[in-house]
Amino acid sequence: MIIIDKHTCTGCGTCVEVCPEDVYVLKDGNAFALYATECWVCGSCMFDCPVQAIEIDLEPPHAVRFIRKAG
Amino acid sequence: MLTRMPDPPFSKYQIYLRDEAEGSLTENPTSTYDEEKEMVHMTSITTKEYQADVAIIGGGLSGLSAAIEASRQGAEVLVVEKGNTLRSGLAGSGIDHIQAHIPEFHDRIGYTTEDLVNDQYEFGGNIGGLRSNTLARYFAEHSGEDIRELERYGIQFRFENPCGQSIGHLKPCGYKIVPQFHYVPTSYNFAGRDIKRVLTKEVLKVGVRILNRVQVRSILVDEQGAAAGVVGMGTRSFEIVTVQAKTTILATQGGIARISKAGAGGTSFENFAAPSASTGAGKVLAAHVGARVLNMELTGLIDTYALMDYSFSVGLPSGSWWPAGRIVDENGEVVVPRNTDIPEETPQYKQRYRQLVEDYYSGRGRIAELLAQGRRLYFDLQEASEEELENIWWALGHEGKTNVLKHHLIKQGVDFKEARFPLRLGGKGALVPAGIWVKDDTTETDVLNLYATGDEIAGTGSGLPVAGGAIVFGKRSGEQAALRAREIPSPTATNTAQVVEGLMRQTEALLDDKNGSVTWKQAEESLQNLAEHTLGRPYTQVSIEDDLSLLSQATSSMRLQAGNPHELSRCFEVSDLYQILGFIYHAILARTSSLGPYIRADEADYVALPWGVATTISIKDGKPSTGTVSFHEASSSKYPTIHR
């Protein structure tokens, strides 16, 4: 799942440049995940964003399930 | 939508473009969108030409390694990349280990280059690698030097807390070395999350040109049928790019995960199957100029990895990511102990590791059995030391999607000392790369002046450690292609006009929705349904012939339609996947014996094709032509084979 913090995003276009799946475009001076469903969760945009405005998190079934305390 | 408009028209093709952004972006339209907001507007296909000594298809690890080496040999090099080399390909979001033989360490434990060759044969080969000892030997002898080269580029290989794993023989080494294969420490961990950025910088430093966002659609040939460059299409503009080159290197991705939903859907948490690259494009390109593509039927082994959960898909419980991992049952009873209870370097240790590999990847072992009985099993790290946990967190931060996994785990506040991860039977993935036949370690293919490297080298993508093989053979292909380029005159491709014209017509047809339309997503799903309906089930000559006819029907009745360059690029990918499925069916027919999960029900009617012989497919006179080829030489391995 792609979460973009519009207030932090400066619209520099780094994510548009690096995304291997061509997910991003610029819209309203912000990063916009036009092809979000094609995201492969590689995390490149998250690593390279100079202001950490993008978060990529896992959703089911990819989210990791675990039991916190051994029973 | 178009992120960039093409240059003024050069071609006679005028295209009416549907703006796909319409509707979804009506709120707060931007300048970027406003300009293109009309329902239909007109644009044109433009063309651009380049010349180079060496053209490289794909700017992944192998393509960039090839570029650096070719440039060093004095060649003018041009890399054509579908994404952006900063983050594209298998190593796009990092790769953190490379297998290598470094004499200063391995001599101490008596692990020779020949041992590495044997390990490649046994472990790499058993999931479909070519088992070429010629290639494995070249790799064993050159990998150590290549590590040092990566270090010179500024990638961190040596650490203050060296050799975090329990490999006392090698301390103090400064390297993080983790065991692979026979549990011999041969895999060097490094801080490689940004390896593609680092390599891109090196590539540009030596004067190589990179064309990002260009999808290669054809390899050009001269009168003799020798490779003479490439033709590609922009993925963000309707620009046809022609590169005339003396020699061409195919450095595309080997895996074809998008042939199955499971593969494309991200079941695996690895990074070897970035979907834009997992379409078999390189094999289609190569086959159409007459290069032989090997073992396509192995690519269809879509249930090779049977147990997929994060604990597994990020590595074996005792493997490189989870050195202290173990498996316990509902009652906390240990089912698979952590890795320090049996002394390393003992036959029992190696045997157990082999058993783990068998259990995890075949889906037929003890773990699979217990899970099938409805038992609840857990993976945990409760016996890990602080130092090991530190190493585990380190290891989670440098390769592929484990980076995202790390972020996810931190966000959830995981405590490895307490957490238990439920294990379960998981999905499938088309993970076995086929490849292009090469003569030997020169990486020359059947086609003169065409070289294959990285995943595409001779089906060894799985047979040789992926990142290491990409770098070692990338360099080798770059060197060979550059040396050849010195000897030959400028290329004279004879089919450029024909190829460019063909691509224009194809583009025009894909952008035309007069006859109804099917989106690339619909077409891909339809193909995946067909693949999953037929692959991995018992088959006969007759049933595969039926499948071929179903595929042919599906192909001819489809009206793929794109509204912009992005979608056009996806349409090309899907059209490659349709061809690839055909290749797989033809190769299954050429493989006259059962193989892994494929059961040929009419096997008795055929002479079995021995393991160690590859099937081949190429396009001759517009039609698929299959055959077989013997691998280079068998290994006199000291270890028994566990898979066939």
Side-chain angles (χ1 to χ4, degrees):
Chain A
M1 189 179 290
I2 302 169
I3 305 153
I4 302 169
D5 182 342
K6 286 188 178 180
H7 303 292
T8 312
C9 176
T10 61
C12 70
T14 301
C15 52
V16 181
E17 185 190 14
V18 301
C19 176
E21 301 304 319
D22 199 20
V23 162
Y24 291 97
V25 294
L26 288 181
K27 182 200 164 198
D28 294 345
N30 272 338
F32 180 72
L34 179 62
Y35 299 105
T37 57
E38 293 165 37
C39 172
W40 186 242
V41 205
C42 74
S44 295
C45 50
M46 180 166 72
F47 314 144
D48 288 353
C49 176
V51 292
Q52 285 88 49
I54 302 178
E55 187 191 333
I56 301 293
D57 200 10
L58 305 169
E59 45 191 317
H62 307 305
V64 177
R65 200 162 60 90
F66 61 89
I67 293 159
R68 280 174 201 280
K69 188 102 183 165
Chain B
M1 82 117 232
L2 283 172
T3 48
R4 260 174 241 159
M5 289 297 284
D7 295 326
F10 288 101
S11 86
K12 57 188 174 179
Y13 290 90
Q14 300 287 310
I15 287 173
Y16 287 94
L17 184 71
R18 183 174 53 82
D19 190 335
E20 81 91 46
E22 194 263 332
S24 62
L25 296 163
T26 45
E27 289 173 19
N28 305 318
T30 66
S31 55
T32 323
Y33 278 92
D34 269 347
E35 289 159 14
E36 298 161 10
K37 208 76 189 68
E38 314 101 88
M39 262 304 272
V40 172
H41 62 99
M42 203 169 74
T43 185
S44 309
I45 301 175
T46 61
T47 56
K48 199 159 188 178
E49 288 178 17
Y50 295 86
Q51 290 242 332
D53 293 326
V54 179
I56 300 174
I57 308 170
L61 280 187
S62 63
L64 295 188
S65 301
I68 292 171
E69 192 59 34
S71 179
R72 245 179 228 157
Q73 300 292 335
E76 200 185 319
V77 185
L78 199 143
V79 176
V80 189
E81 161 62 47
K82 185 160 70 174
N84 185 310
T85 64
L86 288 170
R87 287 290 182 194
S88 62
L90 183 149
S93 48
I95 196 124
D96 71 358
H97 62 294
I98 173 174
Q99 205 186 356
H101 187 273
I102 298 188
E104 65 182 285
F105 302 121
H106 287 121
D107 285 355
R108 288 189 226 160
I109 56 167
Y111 187 78
T112 64
T113 50
E114 212 50 32
D115 289 331
L116 185 58
V117 170
N118 280 324
D119 277 356
Q120 295 300 341
Y121 183 86
E122 286 306 321
F123 286 90
N126 66 34
I127 51 169
L130 183 60
R131 301 192 173 203
S132 159
N133 286 353
T134 307
L135 297 179
R137 195 162 292 119
Y138 186 88
F139 174 82
E141 284 164 6
H142 291 80
S143 48
E145 183 46 43
D146 289 339
I147 276 190
R148 292 192 172 88
E149 188 163 325
L150 291 174
E151 269 195 286
R152 283 198 291 277
Y153 298 155
I155 294 169
Q156 192 190 357
F157 271 83
R158 299 178 206 242
F159 302 88
E160 278 182 19
N161 172 24
C163 306
Q165 318 300 344
S166 50
I167 43 171
H169 288 92
L170 298 179
K171 284 181 183 175
C173 62
Y175 286 109
K176 267 183 201 291
I177 313 179
V178 297
Q180 294 265 306
F181 295 156
H182 287 107
Y183 232 94
V184 176
T186 53
S187 185
Y188 292 74
N189 275 10
F190 58 93
R193 194 190 78 177
D194 298 330
I195 188 170
K196 288 296 308 295
R197 295 191 83 89
V198 172
L199 284 175
T200 299
K201 197 171 129 199
E202 291 300 318
V203 162
L204 295 173
K205 210 189 278 177
V206 295
V208 167
R209 285 175 299 169
I210 299 172
L211 295 181
N212 284 317
R213 308 288 171 192
V214 175
Q215 182 175 16
V216 172
R217 296 305 301 151
S218 294
I219 295 172
L220 294 170
V221 291
D222 70 8
E223 255 171 24
Q224 275 73 48
V230 302
V231 171
M233 172 63 96
T235 67
R236 290 180 175 178
S237 69
F238 291 118
E239 181 170 81
I240 293 180
V241 170
T242 303
V243 182
Q244 308 276 350
K246 292 178 177 177
T247 55
T248 304
I249 299 173
L250 191 66
T252 42
Q253 187 166 336
I256 310 176
R258 269 169 71 183
I259 205 77
S260 86
K261 275 197 197 70
T267 318
S268 163
F269 207 73
E270 295 278 8
N271 200 33
F272 44 61
S276 65
S278 305
T279 58
K283 293 167 186 64
V284 175
L285 290 171
H288 278 273
V289 290
R292 280 176 294 174
V293 182
L294 301 168
N295 283 338
M296 282 307 295
E297 78 283 7
L298 296 179
T299 305
L301 295 176
I302 55 178
D303 59 357
T304 304
Y305 281 39
L307 287 153
M308 281 294 184
D309 207 328
Y310 288 132
S311 328
F312 289 100
S313 53
V314 298
L316 300 174
S318 52
S320 50
W321 271 289
W322 311 112
R326 56 176 201 169
I327 295 174
V328 296
D329 69 9
E330 309 92 326
N331 308 314
E333 297 291 319
V334 175
V335 177
V336 178
R338 62 153 300 166
N339 63 356
T340 51
D341 61 333
I342 306 172
E344 293 164 31
E345 318 294 336
T346 61
Q348 292 90 330
Y349 203 101
K350 292 172 179 176
Q351 188 52 44
R352 205 193 70 186
Y353 187 68
R354 295 178 66 85
Q355 194 58 52
L356 279 172
V357 174
E358 169 80 350
D359 280 5
Y360 296 156
Y361 294 130
S362 70
R364 291 185 291 268
R366 187 168 160 231
I367 309 293
E369 263 172 38
L370 288 171
L371 290 170
Q373 288 164 16
R375 297 283 299 280
R376 168 63 84 194
L377 300 183
Y378 298 91
F379 164 83
D380 77 25
L381 292 161
Q382 290 174 17
E383 287 182 15
S385 69
E386 289 302 322
E387 189 196 18
E388 282 167 333
L389 287 180
E390 196 184 311
N391 272 308
I392 286 164
W393 279 117
W394 183 90
L396 281 174
H398 297 280
E399 180 160 298
K401 294 178 178 179
T402 55
N403 287 295
V404 183
L405 176 62
K406 181 180 184 176
H407 176 81
H408 178 69
L409 289 170
I410 290 172
K411 204 178 158 193
Q412 292 193 79
V414 73
D415 178 353
F416 281 148
K417 290 299 275 184
E418 291 192 339
R420 277 185 181 172
F421 300 84
L423 284 180
R424 60 181 177 191
L425 284 166
K428 306 180 270 186
L431 303 176
V432 179
I436 314 295
W437 181 88
V438 293
K439 196 171 83 181
D440 50 27
D441 64 66
T442 60
T443 75
E444 289 175 44
T445 68
D446 292 309
V447 178
L448 193 62
N449 303 335
L450 178 66
Y451 299 77
T453 186
D455 277 358
E456 301 289 22
I457 183 169
T460 52
S462 59
L464 290 168
V466 189
I471 290 162
V472 170
F473 290 108
K475 284 183 61 180
R476 181 65 160 162
S477 67
E479 172 203 82
Q480 292 294 305
L483 292 176
R484 171 71 57 77
R486 274 188 211 169
E487 296 164 6
I488 57 179
S490 286
T492 47
T494 48
N495 62 341
T496 312
Q498 188 194 337
V499 166
V500 171
E501 181 84 8
L503 187 52
M504 281 183 177
R505 279 183 199 288
Q506 206 186 351
T507 300
E508 193 186 36
L510 287 167
L511 292 168
D512 178 4
D513 62 356
K514 278 201 289 289
N515 300 317
S517 68
V518 170
T519 66
W520 68 267
K521 277 186 186 171
Q522 285 176 289
E524 181 177 83
E525 191 166 344
S526 165
L527 175 90
Q528 290 167 346
N529 287 341
L530 183 56
E532 294 192 355
H533 176 66
T534 55
L535 298 179
R537 292 167 189 251
Y539 69 95
T540 63
Q541 187 80 14
V542 174
S543 74
I544 296 291
E545 282 167 5
D546 285 350
D547 294 339
L548 268 167
S549 109
L550 284 173
L551 176 67
S552 153
Q553 201 183 325
T555 308
S556 61
S557 64
M558 189 166 44
R559 300 275 179 273
L560 260 178
Q561 205 260 327
N564 60 38
H566 176 94
E567 289 178 7
L568 181 70
S569 164
R570 296 285 188 234
C571 286
F572 286 145
E573 290 170 353
V574 171
S575 116
D576 283 347
L577 284 169
Y578 274 74
Q579 291 198 54
I580 286 290
L581 186 58
F583 287 8
I584 292 173
Y585 288 147
H586 282 288
I588 289 174
L589 292 179
R591 170 79 59 189
T592 48
S593 40
S594 299
L595 178 71
Y598 286 161
I599 310 297
R600 185 183 254 277
D602 55 358
E603 192 165 35
D605 301 340
Y606 296 90
V607 178
L609 196 64
W611 184 250
V613 172
T615 63
T616 66
I617 183 163
S618 62
I619 305 291
K620 295 237 162 68
D621 304 321
K623 285 183 182 157
S625 156
T626 57
T628 58
V629 63
S630 281
F631 296 164
H632 299 292
E633 73 269 32
S635 163
S636 57
S637 173
K638 49 190 176 184
Y639 306 108
T641 300
I642 52 170
H643 290 262
R644 63 152 287 185

